[in-house]
Amino acid sequence: MTLIIFAKNLVHGRVKTRLAATIGNDRAMKIYQQLINYTCSVVNKLDCNKMVYYSDHIEWNDEWMATGREVQCGEGLGERMEHAFKAELKKVDGKTLIIGTDCFEITDQIILEAFSKLEQCDVVIGPASDGGYYLLGMKKCHSELFKNISWSTGSVFDSTLSICHSLQLRYHLMPVLNDIDEEKDLLQTTIHYTSTGGKV
């Protein structure tokens, strides 16, 4: 089992830009640091192969208890995810999941359940409330799932599901969770963090 984690490097003004548009770069940076810390705490509980894919450069002195670290490769999000899936499935043929670092609601149990569902399915999808997804899993790389998708829009999940139907892939849907992309998402999420990083 392999878990791919897509993480952005913590660079002021380059993380959570949609969130920063309304709350400012300083607060957006703090919230993304909290998201990284939370996702780390979830992922580090898992007993599986873990690969962190950074957006720009590898950060070796991080908190991830990971098997390895790589830099994302490709022009857009779809191309980068496809490359990561192909690279990891080439190393170890088997159940592979990808998650981001944008969700305060994801848990280790949700990730373990997604791995389990891949026993019977071709694809596992964790829908996000904004129309995207927070998790995608498969046992072989179905490249079509990364083509002709309008990334960072509310149509990502529907487009992905439509491709699954057209390819006659068996899929399982995980619970709908809330990603943090805009200020309203902070109010909707079921786990809230303060601006100083403490759980409330």
Side-chain angles (χ1 to χ4, degrees):
M1 300 190 303
T2 299
L3 178 65
I4 301 167
I5 304 107
F6 261 33
K8 284 193 174 182
N9 294 91
L10 280 162
V11 179
H12 191 272
R14 294 184 61 184
V15 297
K16 291 289 148 211
T17 52
R18 282 186 283 167
L19 184 62
T22 56
I23 70 171
N25 285 321
D26 289 347
R27 284 188 65 200
M29 183 82 164
K30 288 179 181 177
I31 289 169
Y32 189 61
Q33 178 68 73
Q34 293 160 30
L35 281 162
I36 289 281
N37 292 344
Y38 177 76
T39 310
C40 251
S41 72
V42 170
V43 166
N44 289 347
K45 298 175 186 176
L46 298 168
D47 182 18
C48 67
N49 183 41
K50 290 166 274 193
M51 291 292 301
V52 180
Y53 276 73
Y54 279 104
S55 57
D56 299 306
H57 61 269
I58 294 174
E59 296 182 10
W60 295 106
N61 297 319
D62 57 27
E63 298 179 5
W64 301 102
M65 294 172 60
T67 310
R69 292 153 181 81
E70 297 285 352
V71 176
Q72 297 169 26
C73 179
E75 291 299 318
L77 179 58
E79 194 173 314
R80 296 197 300 269
M81 287 196 293
E82 180 186 7
H83 176 269
F85 264 106
K86 285 182 174 179
E88 296 310 316
L89 285 166
K90 190 179 293 184
K91 296 177 193 173
V92 181
D93 189 23
K95 295 179 284 188
T96 302
L97 302 178
I98 190 168
I99 63 169
T101 50
D102 301 313
C103 184
F104 280 133
E105 297 179 350
I106 197 167
T107 66
D108 55 319
Q109 291 303 312
I110 287 174
I111 295 171
L112 288 173
E113 183 183 350
F115 274 125
S116 177
K117 293 300 181 182
L118 279 175
E119 296 283 354
Q120 298 87 30
C121 300
D122 301 309
V123 178
V124 173
I125 310 170
S129 57
D130 62 1
Y133 56 74
Y134 62 87
L135 176 151
L136 182 70
M138 45 192 161
K139 291 170 288 193
K140 59 175 288 188
C141 186
H142 301 285
S143 294
E144 294 87 347
L145 294 175
F146 306 109
K147 312 293 186 187
N148 302 314
I149 302 283
S150 298
W151 301 104
S152 300
T153 70
S155 66
V156 171
F157 171 72
D158 286 341
S159 297
T160 303
L161 211 57
S162 177
I163 294 167
C164 285
H165 287 145
S166 67
L167 296 177
Q168 297 184 324
L169 296 174
R170 295 170 300 165
Y171 64 86
H172 176 81
L173 301 181
M174 301 300 294
V176 177
L177 301 183
N178 188 47
D179 268 349
I180 305 298
D181 290 312
E182 299 178 12
E183 187 175 8
K184 62 180 175 60
D185 300 328
L186 290 171
L187 304 176
Q188 294 171 354
T189 191
T190 59
I191 299 176
H192 297 276
Y193 277 65
T194 68
S195 60
T196 56
K199 193 173 178 180
V200 298

